[in-house]
Amino acid sequence: MAVSFLVPLLVAALSVGVDGHQTTVLPQSKFIPLRPASSTLSIQLTLALPPTNIDGLHAALYDVSDPKSPNYGKHLSKSEVEAFVAPKPGSVKAVTDWLTQHNVHPEVVSSSGDMLRIDIPVSKANSLLGANFTEFEDKTSGTTLVRTLSISLPDDVEPHLKFIYPTTQFISATTREKPSFQVVTPPALAHKRQTLPQICSVDVDPECLEDFYHIPAAPATASGNSLGVSAYIDEIATQADLDFFFLAFRPDVTTAPDFSIVSVDNGITSGNGTLEASLDIQYTVGVATGVPTTLYSVGQPTTEGFIDLVNFLLAQDELPLVLTTSYGFNEVDFDGAEDLANTFCDAYAQLGARGTSVFFCSGDNGVYSFSFNSTCDATTFGPTFPSGCPFLTSVGGTQGFTPEVAAPFSGGGFSNIFARPDYQSTAVEGYLDALGGTNAGLFNSTGRAFPDVSAQSVNFITRINGVFGLLEGTSASTPTFASVVALLNDALLNAGKPPLGFINPLLYSQGAVALNDITSGSNPGCGAQGFPTMEGWDPVTGLGTPDYEKLLALVMGLSA
Ligand SMILES: *[C@@H]1O[C@H](CO)[C@@H](O)[C@H](O)[C@H]1NC(C)=O
Ligand SMILES: *[C@@H]1O[C@H](CO)[C@@H](O)[C@H](O)[C@H]1NC(C)=O
Ligand SMILES: *[C@@H]1O[C@H](CO)[C@@H](O)[C@H](O)[C@H]1NC(C)=O
Ligand SMILES: *[C@@H]1O[C@H](CO)[C@@H](O)[C@H](O)[C@H]1NC(C)=O
């Protein structure tokens, strides 16, 4: 296959006199133009306005997340966060005046007012933006996208818009790993209890995780605790599967707790249980038992769906204290769309500043991003998105017990978009020094490195639409780690302390003693050897896997 589809999207932004400010991208061979988009087709565009003080948001996030700060744990209110990201009145006026002149009436779609949405026919969008909206086939997924290779904005409007999406951004829909599903018969319970932990090398269930990571079996009790699970691509979990899962694997709990389903973008709220959502619900409700859990079913599998979920959450007065997401994108798709990538990342910073711990899986193709096919011809490794965002916690995968080693598929590496944050510089520089020249030129050593942590990720027994099967992937480790944090929050809330929120500054400065360091294995991909694990942080398993008891001692000892 030609290397050409890996040529990064080049963006030329040039001022062209009367035509205003033009943004043009080169045609990508991964996307084939099919035909002009029908002029009567309605197209929904999101307009992002520049935030008033984004540096202030980042500083405030670190201030409440650094255990050495006097403000540790003093999370911001909704209005405090919104004051940082709200657009300046001049921007709102410039953009709405321009739209009004064209008889277009925007809807405000974020609580802070930093995003507007318009719904207009293609003919109108073409004239408003000097665009040529075209149907493109996405060769990777076989789906069709409506995009334009160029837009142009009046000179007096352009400085007031960060981006208009979707226009010139060519980003494939989100990927969830399609975990292999091997149907199994669960072992008889009595047999299982007697043979812990050996049986855990055959199938992993909540009891194995409790045993191995010292996670309490007693259900959580704190009021005000909560855990959110993202679901895209028509994924859904059912109470019937969860009930059966509890019967089999949580005999200590008489009645399986229920979970809520909230629909965003007309996401489905019922149907047969599917792989990813069933796994995510069974290993949140089944591990963080007693923590009220909500599945957010998002109808849009695109970056728009991700933005809509985060805007939906940020509009609430009460946020889930933990949010786990086992979906993502290839970071290379955001080349030329860095403003969009930064907006995502800043949205997670807003959640963190308000006290939510945000977890994303690191991906299942080692150093080669979510999908082999999109990057295997690459001359460099392919980081996943949004794991490269410094304001969230990226979770890699391990396997085996005594010793616990890296899962070879564990996604990890270095972002090409986001620079390395201070909180991880000592850990990452230590790794890079020890790595020497290995993989030189294949990765960006100045980038934000991931994952941050990891957890077990193979042989997770899951009940899906009436059948038990084994699943593997960072899709399994992510809800597991998120559940540990939800249980830590339970203890903190019961002690009158604030929830953990953004945990990376804590983990990198003081967490090593409370995590199991993984020092064996690597994450090859596409024929490359990948990164080796090492003592301390590494881009395969991060700082390590959780030890709940040690983490509890650590977080209860903090001054907040
Ligand atoms: C608009 O895009 C179509 C492909 O959809 C192309 O055939 C046509 O030449 C383009 N028009 C202009 C004015 O660039
Ligand atoms: C749901 O599952 C049942 C039982 O496995 C099956 O008969 C039915 O066709 C499924 N429905 C859909 C919409 O897939
Ligand atoms: C990659 O593409 C090939 C051929 O197009 C296909 O057979 C294979 O299943 C794809 N692999 C993945 C991981 O998508
Ligand atoms: C490497 O990462 C930095 C951010 O740390 C970024 O500014 C730079 O453009 C990246 N280089 C390449 C070649 O992608």
Side-chain angles (χ1 to χ4, degrees), residues 171-304:
I171 301 167
S172 297
T174 184
T175 314
R176 52 138 153 50
E177 299 301 345
K178 290 196 195 75
S180 65
F181 182 66
Q182 186 199 336
V183 174
V184 292
T185 312
L189 276 176
H191 169 70
K192 182 170 177 69
R193 296 204 152 259
Q194 281 156 21
T195 52
L196 263 180
Q198 292 86 338
I199 195 77
C200 299
S201 62
V202 180
D203 66 69
V204 169
D205 65 24
E207 202 181 10
C208 294
L209 298 170
E210 286 168 2
D211 191 55
F212 195 66
Y213 292 147
H214 305 137
I215 299 170
T221 55
S223 65
N225 201 359
S226 53
L227 202 173
V229 177
S230 311
Y232 295 89
I233 330 181
D234 291 340
E235 286 274 352
I236 200 79
T238 67
Q239 190 68 38
D241 283 336
L242 183 67
D243 289 346
F244 216 102
F245 181 80
F246 264 71
L247 267 177
F249 302 119
R250 291 303 307 267
D252 55 316
V253 178
T254 23
T255 310
D258 52 14
F259 63 98
S260 316
I261 299 177
V262 169
S263 170
V264 176
D265 287 343
N266 297 317
I268 59 170
T269 55
S270 63
N272 285 342
T274 57
L275 300 195
E276 181 67 65
S278 302
L279 172 71
D280 292 347
I281 281 297
Q282 286 164 33
Y283 285 87
T284 47
V285 180
V287 176
T289 307
V291 178
T293 300
T294 301
L295 184 77
Y296 295 100
S297 170
V298 185
Q300 272 273 7
T302 59
T303 38
E304 198 180 320

Side-chain angles (χ1 to χ4, degrees), residues 25 36 59 92 126 140 143 154 188 196 260 317 325 358 377 445 447 457 470 524 532 538:
V25 299
V92 179
N126 281 341
T140 320
T143 56
L196 263 180
S260 316
D317 289 320
T325 306
V358 179
D377 292 343
S445 63
S457 61
L470 298 183
D538 55 65

Side-chain angles (χ1 to χ4, degrees), residues 415-420 444 446-448:
S415 172
N416 290 312
I417 295 180
F418 300 99
R420 178 150 63 248
N444 188 336
T446 66
R448 185 284 206 246

